[in-house]
Amino acid sequence: LERPDAAGAGSARSRAVPTGGPGKAKTCDVFLSYCWANSQLAHANGQVPELKSKPGADPRALAAALRTAGHSPWLDIEMLGGGSGLFGDIARGLKHARVVVACVSSEYAASENCTMELQYALKLLKKPAVVVVVGEDDRWRETVVGLLTAAHPTVDLSAMAADATGATRGAEAVAQEVKAALLKAAPPPQPVAPAPAPPPRAGGAPPGASAAAVHMSQAPGVGGGGPAPPRRKKKTPQQENGLQRKRQSGSADASSRAAADAAQVSLEEEADADSGNETDDHLPLGGGGGGGDAAPASTSLAGPRVGDHVVSKYVSSTYYPATVIAFDAAARTFKLRWDDGDSAHTEQPFESVALDRVPDSDDVGVGSAVIYKSGTYRFHGRDNQPRFRPGTVTAVHRVDRATLGLDADGGAPGTLTLYTVQDDEVSSKQLDLEIGDLRVAGNLMAALDAQLESWGGGDDLEQPAESAVFDLGA
C-alpha cells in the first residue's frame, strides 16, 4: 500500500525492494504499521521527499529495537513481495501477527491506505495494539485513527525522541508495552495435524496404487465416495463474450437520470431483466447462498456482499440506492440493480459503493470520506426516492439536545453528535448531519478477505483469476 499517498510525498510502498518471502509473514508476532513520511530511513533512501517527524522517532528503526528485545516484527520493506500480491502480503502479516504496533501521526491518518490497514487490523481482526506517536502534532486524534486507538496503550515516542538517549528510552518503552500485550494476546495459531488416511474400503484401490490414490478414492465425489462439493467451472470464451455483451447492453438507450431529475418527468417503469444469472458457474459471495442467505456483516466496514442493499455512485457526484447482484474480484467492481429500475451505469468500482447501513461512531472522524443524504427525486413513476452525495467530514461536535428542542418532544437527555460535512464538489455546501444520515464505503482488504474466504482462497488474498465473479444467481 502506498504509505505517503495522502501526505503528498514519496513513492509507492510497492516500489521498495523486498527481501522477505511468502512464508516469513507467518513467523512475525508484531506487525509494524506506519507511514513512510515519518521514517528518516525512508527519507535518506529517497523514498519520500520530506521527513514529517523527528529523526529519533523512526518506525523502521523501532523495528530493529523490537528485534533486540526478542520480538519478531513484520516490516513492509522486508516482507512485501511474497507472491500473494500487495493485499495478500499485508493481510497475511496482520492475520498471523499477535500484536499491531501502530505508529500514528497526522500523515498516517491522512493516508487512506494506512487507515484501511488499521481498521482491518483493529476493528475487523480484533488485534490488540500498541500505539506509538511519531508525528509532530495531534491532529490525528480527531480522525478515525484517533477514535480506533483511544483505548489502546500509547507511547509518545515523538516527545521522548528529542535526543538519542530519549529515543532509546522510548524504544524500550514500546518493547515493554509490546511484551505486555503479547502476554495478554491469544496464542499464535497452531498448525493442524493432517487427519490419517482412512483405510481402504471394500474392493480397495487397484494393485500398486499409492496411499494418496487410496485416500483420494475415499474423498467425497471421487470414486463414488459421496457428493462432490460445489466447484467453480471456468467460463468458455463464448460465455465470456456473452457476459461482456450482456454487461454492455442497454446503457446506450437508457434514460438519463440527471435529466429525469431536472425535468421531474415520469417514465414508464422497466423491470431489469438481468438478475445476475449470467452463468451458473459463479460462487455466492460472503459464505451464504446468494442474496439474503449470507450472514450480516458485523460492521459497515466489512463492505457490501452480493444481495446487500447499498448506496452507490451513478455518475459524477450522484449516488442512489441499489442492490448488489455480482462482484468481480479481479476488477474489484460491483454489478448493481438500481432500486428505481434504471439499467445504465450498473457496474461501479468498490470504493464508490457503500453498504446502506448506519456506520459505527468510530467509523467516522475528521477527514473521513462519507456519502450523505441529500434530498429525494422522482424517476420511473416513483416519488421520494432518496439521493446521496459525496462529502468529507471537517468537524465533529456535540450539542446539548435540549438546545435543539429534543427533550421537550420526549427525546433522550444528553448530547447529540453532529458531523460537519463539506460537499466534495460544491464548496458553499456545508451541512451539520447526524450519523444516521451518513454512509461509508467498505474496507477493501476486509471485503476481499471475506469474499475470497468463501471462494476458497484461505488466508491469502491472492489476485483471483479474471473469471472469479460472485453473483446473486449462484
Side-chain angles (χ1 to χ4, degrees), residues 196-379:
R201 60 183 174 183
S210 66
V214 173
H215 180 67
M216 284 302 295
S217 72
Q218 316 302 318
V222 180
R231 298 176 62 88
R232 180 171 56 83
K233 299 178 291 183
K234 183 175 179 61
K235 292 189 185 71
T236 64
Q238 292 81 0
Q239 287 174 320
E240 290 286 359
N241 291 337
L243 173 58
Q244 186 64 23
R245 287 196 302 272
K246 182 172 284 189
R247 285 177 172 173
Q248 292 176 348
S249 66
S251 59
D253 59 352
S255 300
S256 167
R257 185 182 285 152
D261 291 347
Q264 291 291 286
V265 296
S266 175
L267 302 179
E268 181 180 355
E269 180 175 353
E270 295 179 14
D272 186 356
D274 185 357
S275 64
N277 296 318
E278 289 147 344
T279 65
D280 62 356
D281 60 351
H282 304 159
L283 287 181
L285 184 126
D293 292 338
S298 60
T299 170
S300 57
L301 288 179
R305 301 181 178 189
V306 169
D308 281 341
H309 196 252
V310 298
V311 175
S312 173
K313 181 177 180 180
Y314 181 73
V315 291
S316 186
S317 294
T318 54
Y319 286 69
Y320 299 99
T323 298
V324 175
I325 61 174
F327 176 72
D328 187 328
R332 296 173 185 170
T333 58
F334 288 111
K335 186 167 185 180
L336 308 169
R337 182 167 54 237
W338 299 110
D339 284 7
D340 59 22
D342 194 353
S343 60
H345 306 293
T346 57
E347 291 190 22
Q348 296 291 342
F350 178 90
E351 61 271 16
S352 297
V353 182
L355 193 63
D356 188 12
R357 173 175 174 170
V358 178
D360 296 335
S361 59
D362 58 3
D363 292 340
V364 183
V366 173
S368 292
V370 296
I371 302 167
Y372 70 93
K373 290 183 180 179
S374 179
T376 60
Y377 71 103
R378 184 188 185 199
F379 188 68

Side-chain angles (χ1 to χ4, degrees), residues 126-206:
K126 307 296 184 183
K127 296 290 182 177
V130 174
V131 182
V132 181
V133 180
V134 297
E136 297 181 321
D137 61 64
D138 287 338
R139 287 178 292 130
W140 62 272
R141 296 186 185 276
E142 297 182 324
T143 70
V144 166
V145 170
L147 296 174
L148 286 172
T149 59
H152 294 273
T154 302
V155 176
D156 194 340
L157 186 59
S158 182
M160 301 177 71
D163 51 46
T165 301
T168 300
R169 290 200 314 272
E172 291 173 348
V174 173
Q176 287 297 318
E177 291 290 353
V178 168
K179 180 179 179 180
L182 285 170
L183 291 175
K184 297 178 182 178
Q190 298 297 321
V192 179
R201 60 183 174 183

Side-chain angles (χ1 to χ4, degrees), residues 27 60 64 72 84 101 170 177 189 197 224 267 288 295 317 321 345-346 352 365 379 409 411 422 429 447 470 473:
T27 66
R60 291 187 186 176
S72 177
S84 297
V101 173
E177 291 290 353
L267 302 179
S317 294
H345 306 293
T346 57
S352 297
F379 188 68
D409 295 332
Q422 172 67 58
K429 192 171 186 179
F470 309 82

Side-chain angles (χ1 to χ4, degrees), residues 74-100:
W74 191 102
L75 187 65
D76 55 359
I77 58 173
E78 299 172 350
M79 292 299 179
L80 291 181
S84 297
L86 190 62
F87 283 109
D89 291 341
I90 294 172
R92 182 168 53 188
L94 282 169
K95 278 191 167 184
H96 289 274
R98 297 172 60 200
V99 173
V100 174

